[in-house]
Amino acid sequence: MKISVFAPGKLMLLGEHAVVYGYPCIVTAVSSKIKVELENTLSSKIEINAPQVKDVGFVEESIRIFKEKFKFKQGLLIKTSSEFSSQYGFGSSSAVTIATLYGLNKLFNLNLTKKEIFDLGLKVTLNIQKVGSGFDIAAATFGKTLYFIKGGKTIEKLNIKELPLVVGYSGVKASTPKIVQQIKKRLKKEKKEIFNLFDSIGKIVEEGKKSLLEKNYQKLGMLMNENHRLLKILGVSTEKLNQMCKAAIDAGAYGAKLSGAGGGDCMIALVSLSKKEKVEKAIEKTGGKILKVSNNADGVNYEKNI
Ligand code: PMV
């Protein structure tokens, strides 16, 4: 049998970093997807063909964890491809992990639930990256827009439509595990200050969840600005990301913030449709690249080829 599995990337709407320490966050799945094709072969060999080299380790670890649990011996041919560059910070590693696990589940007819797939995916990424909340794994698995607490303690699908977001790439690739480790180190000396910031971020996420459900974009924009200000104090933003966010707000966005670990990658701006173009142009003027993706996208899914 041959199947193709698709898993979405993600964007963090609110709550990055604090979520690693047990606070909630809000994440949305994006329309750009990773595709993993899986085929069982007659040999006992497992062959992986992944053009984004970074993906190989995640595919291998997914297979190892899956084999350990379900003891299959069959040979496999696995091919990955992506609609987005791993540079953007859309979470290609988690998407490829979830697509691989979901594909194996389908190939071997195991009927695992999405929560079981999520738990396996979390194990895979933690084995490789050592740190992380699992929010990206949740987005790849369940899709849509989620209120999420570390490790999947809470995964709540928010009943909303797509958000009017503009996404800008700063041109710099950031290393999420590195930045998360840096914060962990700093916590030894600055515990009180950092946890004060996390407390405030936690409150923003709760307020943000309400604003999202009420479609109060004015308020949500203000909360995004405040979240960005706190991330700046935390020291994870960059001059470029700050410029891009300021340009978006000056051009009429409701609010803007960096999205993800910081140090580069993307920023997001919440806009009214009438201001969208103006905001995009303003971001481009600072040297940012506009990424045309929609959000609130579906989670992992598959199609049978034969
Ligand atoms: O850099 P990204 O987009 O993978 O986001 C990282 C978000 C953190 O909260 C910093 C880490 C995590 O695993 O939640």
Side-chain angles (χ1 to χ4, degrees):
M1 184 162 78
K2 188 176 173 188
I3 57 173
S4 300
V5 188
F6 305 87
K10 51 80 190 130
L11 280 168
M12 181 71 98
L13 292 181
L14 293 168
E16 47 273 90
H17 288 292
V19 66
V20 177
Y21 295 89
Y23 295 86
C25 75
I26 298 176
V27 55
T28 191
V30 295
S31 53
S32 299
K33 293 183 176 66
I34 291 274
K35 178 176 168 188
V36 176
E37 291 167 284
L38 303 96
E39 188 175 0
N40 31 31
T41 58
L42 293 175
S43 77
S44 57
K45 247 180 57 195
I46 293 181
E47 212 179 306
I48 301 165
N49 182 345
Q52 301 208 102
V53 183
K54 203 173 142 237
D55 291 351
V56 177
F58 288 89
V59 173
E60 282 174 348
E61 184 61 9
S62 301
I63 295 170
R64 195 191 66 76
I65 293 271
F66 207 87
K67 250 189 165 169
E68 190 177 85
K69 200 168 160 80
F70 301 106
K71 322 251 176 264
F72 72 88
K73 289 198 177 74
Q74 209 163 358
L76 291 169
L77 179 60
I78 297 184
K79 229 166 103 182
T80 74
S81 52
S82 175
E83 288 175 3
F84 58 88
S85 157
S86 62
Q87 301 289 312
Y88 296 160
F90 277 177
S92 57
S93 312
S94 11
V96 90
T97 298
I98 288 305
T100 304
L101 292 167
Y102 193 77
L104 292 170
N105 161 53
K106 288 289 169 196
L107 215 54
F108 295 113
N109 264 323
L110 291 170
N111 282 326
L112 298 179
T113 63
K114 283 211 164 170
K115 181 61 170 53
E116 286 171 309
I117 301 277
F118 167 84
D119 288 337
L120 289 172
L122 188 64
K123 213 166 154 187
V124 170
T125 47
L126 284 180
N127 282 352
I128 296 178
Q129 294 176 337
K130 311 294 173 220
V131 287
S133 63
F135 81 109
D136 39 6
I137 287 288
T141 311
F142 300 98
K144 300 294 169 189
T145 301
L146 308 169
Y147 171 88
F148 176 85
I149 297 181
K150 190 180 181 176
K153 203 168 147 204
T154 302
I155 304 174
E156 186 186 335
K157 223 173 245 189
L158 301 181
N159 188 13
I160 60 162
K161 296 242 159 61
E162 189 189 349
L163 285 172
L165 281 186
V166 169
V167 183
Y169 176 56
S170 68
V172 179
K173 170 77 201 121
S175 163
T176 300
K178 218 162 133 189
I179 299 172
V180 173
Q181 290 291 7
Q182 277 165 8
I183 302 279
K184 197 172 161 193
K185 245 192 225 152
R186 276 178 48 203
L187 264 169
K188 286 191 189 126
K189 282 194 190 141
E190 305 163 68
K191 195 166 176 188
K192 195 156 167 267
E193 293 84 342
I194 293 181
F195 269 98
N196 277 340
L197 288 174
F198 287 168
D199 279 341
S200 305
I201 291 175
K203 286 185 188 124
I204 288 175
V205 173
E206 296 300 345
E207 287 286 303
K209 181 182 170 191
K210 268 194 240 152
S211 310
L212 261 171
L213 293 170
E214 288 164 4
K215 265 184 127 185
N216 186 345
Y217 292 157
Q218 201 102 36
K219 175 88 187 283
L220 184 59
M222 273 167 48
L223 293 165
M224 286 167 68
N225 291 342
E226 181 58 10
N227 196 165
H228 185 74
R229 192 181 71 82
L230 297 171
L231 289 166
K232 253 162 71 176
I233 299 174
L234 187 64
V236 296
S237 191
T238 64
E239 210 34 60
K240 184 72 184 214
L241 286 166
N242 296 341
Q243 277 169 11
M244 291 164 79
C245 290
K246 183 172 182 307
I249 294 161
D250 290 347
Y254 293 122
K257 66 182 277 292
L258 69 85
S259 173
D265 288 350
C266 288
M267 53 72 71
I268 50 175
L270 187 69
V271 296
S272 63
L273 285 182
S274 61
K275 296 272 167 60
K276 192 166 184 229
E277 226 182 290
K278 202 170 161 210
V279 170
E280 286 179 349
K281 290 225 166 85
I283 292 172
E284 275 171 347
K285 239 183 162 170
T286 69
K289 180 182 158 86
I290 300 298
L291 303 179
K292 299 274 183 197
V293 288
S294 54
N295 57 77
N296 207 37
D298 287 337
V300 67
N301 215 334
Y302 80 110
E303 60 192 40
K304 257 189 203 163
N305 299 111
I306 297 167

